[in-house]
Amino acid sequence: MNRLTLYTTLGCHLCERLETLLARLHHGEYRLEKVEISEDEALMERYGVRIPVLVDEAGDELDMGFEPSRLAAWLADRHCLDETAWRCQSGEMVSGEEERGEWKPSVQRSTGRRYLG
């Protein structure tokens, strides 16, 4: 199981986005420990303007992991990127779907409203 740490603070919408992306793109099981930085001056100084910061077991940090491409690259470097989920997230076709004519975008627009496809 992959153990990750998320430096965050209450109400951080970017942290919530990172958690959502992580749940979608991480291959296999992982444990996410959330560390509230507002309760510690040293953590506030280190991470205050950088959150969310995702850290792996080796101590390697990812700033701005709420950007899908940055998170995907970081996970791929650790061999825990769900490639299929990433292809779907980034709008690419899953292998073989194009030849079979089965690929459809995940979101279709009609009359200005968004519908899941």
Side-chain angles (χ1 to χ4, degrees):
M1 177 181 302
N2 194 10
R3 288 188 162 83
L4 303 169
T5 302
L6 175 63
Y7 289 93
T8 185
T9 193
L10 185 64
C12 174
H13 70 284
L14 296 175
C15 301
E16 292 171 5
R17 176 159 169 76
L18 183 142
E19 285 186 74
T20 299
L21 286 169
L22 184 62
R24 194 175 299 153
L25 298 179
H26 192 285
H27 177 71
E29 293 184 27
Y30 65 94
R31 179 175 178 217
L32 183 64
E33 176 187 354
K34 296 181 196 176
V35 176
E36 174 60 52
I37 66 168
S38 68
E39 298 170 358
D40 183 305
E41 281 299 317
L43 293 178
M44 280 294 292
E45 177 133 351
R46 183 171 182 181
Y47 296 112
V49 296
R50 297 173 49 210
I51 61 170
V53 177
L54 189 61
V55 182
D56 66 10
E57 292 178 272
D60 293 327
E61 297 180 351
L62 171 67
D63 294 350
M64 298 190 314
F66 55 86
E67 295 177 356
S69 60
R70 290 179 53 84
L71 178 59
W74 193 80
L75 292 171
D77 287 346
R78 285 146 189 81
H79 309 289
C80 53
L81 174 65
D82 183 328
E83 296 286 344
T84 302
W86 173 237
R87 285 191 297 268
C88 291
Q89 171 76 28
S90 63
E92 294 179 16
M93 297 179 196
V94 177
S95 177
E97 290 179 339
E98 182 177 16
E99 293 84 26
R100 294 190 304 267
E102 298 173 2
W103 184 79
K104 295 184 177 125
S106 60
V107 175
Q108 298 173 353
R109 294 190 183 268
S110 173
T111 65
R113 295 187 180 190
R114 296 175 71 176
Y115 298 92
L116 294 178

